[in-house]
Amino acid sequence: MEKLVIKNVGMILSGKMEEPIFDGDCLVAVDGKIDDWGNENDLDTDDATCIVDAHGVTLAPGLIDSHVHPVVGDYTPRQQQLHWIDSTLNGGVTTMISAGEVHMPGRPKDVIGLKAMSIAAQRWYENFRPSGVKVHAGAPVIEHGMVEEDFAELANAGVKYLGEVGLGSVKDGKTANQMVEWARKYGIQSTIHTGGPSIPGSGLIDADMVIETGTDVIGHINGGHSALPDDQIICLCETCTKQAFEIVHNGNERAAVLTVNTARELGKLDQVILGTDGPAGSGVQPLGILRMIAMLSAFGNVPAEIAFCFGNGNTARQRDLDVGLIEKDRCADFVLLDQAQHAPGKNMLESVAQGNLPGVGMTIIDGAICSERSRNTPPAQRLPERIL
């Protein structure tokens, strides 16, 4: 039995908007799953195989990047960059979700080829976790010629997500909706490209098509890169009652704040999730999720502890993941962070609410330490320490 004990925690962020901060100074995980948390004196901490002294820093569920474009391993040909996933781990991200392996050179667009690549991508990231990061890949971009049996085959092979609708040849709402419904029938979640074109072959996806297509996630609602007009973004927020409003780092910052302000006024902040939309022409953003949390808190009038939920718990719930929340039997995936040295604010949350990045001191995935002091964030005031 592997038993992790994290003690002397200064604050526990839950990932839950309804109760974003939990009481307690200790958390226990057994065999990679969360077992209990609260005051150390009330918990069973005996027989630990790993003990982390948090030294007063904040513990939060690992961050989730809802929108990435991986290709193979920890390499992206889009930017000719190695170890971009490891670098993102150093930004507190422990889980990534593919919105399509669209940057694969020579990406097949025939039905047999796209299914083969999708299944292969799902397999290689299932079998290989770069630096421990969980990458949910194998997201096929739908093309004309696909039939219901193709989605059944993909689902049976383990594929769980579609790539961005609109990046392939299917660009009308009626056809896209039929394929999205087939995917949903077999348990495959869908997302749609929203806004102006991003890569050759993509095109404008406006609010009408987003609504007609009916995907589960409104991909980069703030544009990737170019956003829709304000009235269309507001229309999507008003009209869509269940879909996730995905805000990305590579989109329009003003549109991102508009989305959060609108969602807050409508009582729909639980539908807000975060991604980076990288690697892309904008590059790789190892701190993209933390930057979005800080920006949306600072400019969107959202308490920092709620903004953190956009980057873990909301995404976990919208994406049906077993990570992102402090709950018993959830995966023990965490980021330990603290206020950056010399950053303004009385504590980490107040500093983030002023737009400052925190310092990451450790990431843990399935109860195992994957990284310690981040090489990318500003140095934290305090650092957690493994003592056993």
Side-chain angles (χ1 to χ4, degrees), residues 320-332:
D320 193 25
L321 300 171
D322 62 355
V323 299
L325 295 160
I326 302 298
E327 286 183 351
K328 186 176 175 59
D329 295 328
R330 291 261 180 178
C331 291

Side-chain angles (χ1 to χ4, degrees), residues 59 80 100 103 108 115 121 124 175 217 260 286 312 351 360 372:
L59 180 148
Q80 294 295 310
H103 301 312
K115 288 192 297 183
W124 63 58
T175 303
V217 177
V260 165
N312 45 39
S351 183
V360 170
E372 297 193 42

Side-chain angles (χ1 to χ4, degrees), residues 137-267:
V141 174
I142 59 174
E143 303 281 357
H144 282 296
M146 296 185 76
V147 296
E148 181 176 347
E149 288 73 18
D150 295 318
F151 295 91
E153 180 185 350
L154 287 165
N156 288 334
V159 172
K160 297 181 179 179
Y161 302 100
L162 291 186
E164 290 177 68
V165 174
L167 296 186
S169 58
V170 176
K171 299 186 185 299
D172 67 285
K174 181 178 180 181
T175 303
N177 176 260
Q178 177 65 82
M179 293 188 180
V180 164
E181 287 301 320
W182 285 334
R184 186 174 288 128
K185 178 179 178 179
Y186 295 102
I188 300 175
Q189 196 179 71
S190 57
T191 187
I192 189 167
H193 176 95
T194 309
S198 59
I199 61 173
S202 65
L204 170 67
I205 305 293
D206 63 10
D208 288 340
M209 181 170 172
V210 172
I211 293 169
E212 184 179 7
T213 302
T215 57
D216 301 295
V217 177
I218 303 174
H220 47 63
I221 191 172
N222 62 317
H225 307 278
S226 303
L228 294 174
D230 290 0
D231 61 337
Q232 293 195 35
I233 294 175
I234 293 170
C235 173
L236 288 173
C237 291
E238 290 176 341
T239 304
C240 300
T241 58
K242 295 181 180 180
Q243 294 96 321
F245 306 145
E246 183 188 77
I247 300 174
V248 300
H249 180 278
N250 277 358
N252 180 309
E253 291 88 350
R254 179 182 168 279
V257 174
L258 172 66
T259 301
V260 165
N261 284 333
T262 305
R264 187 186 63 253
E265 293 168 4
L266 294 169

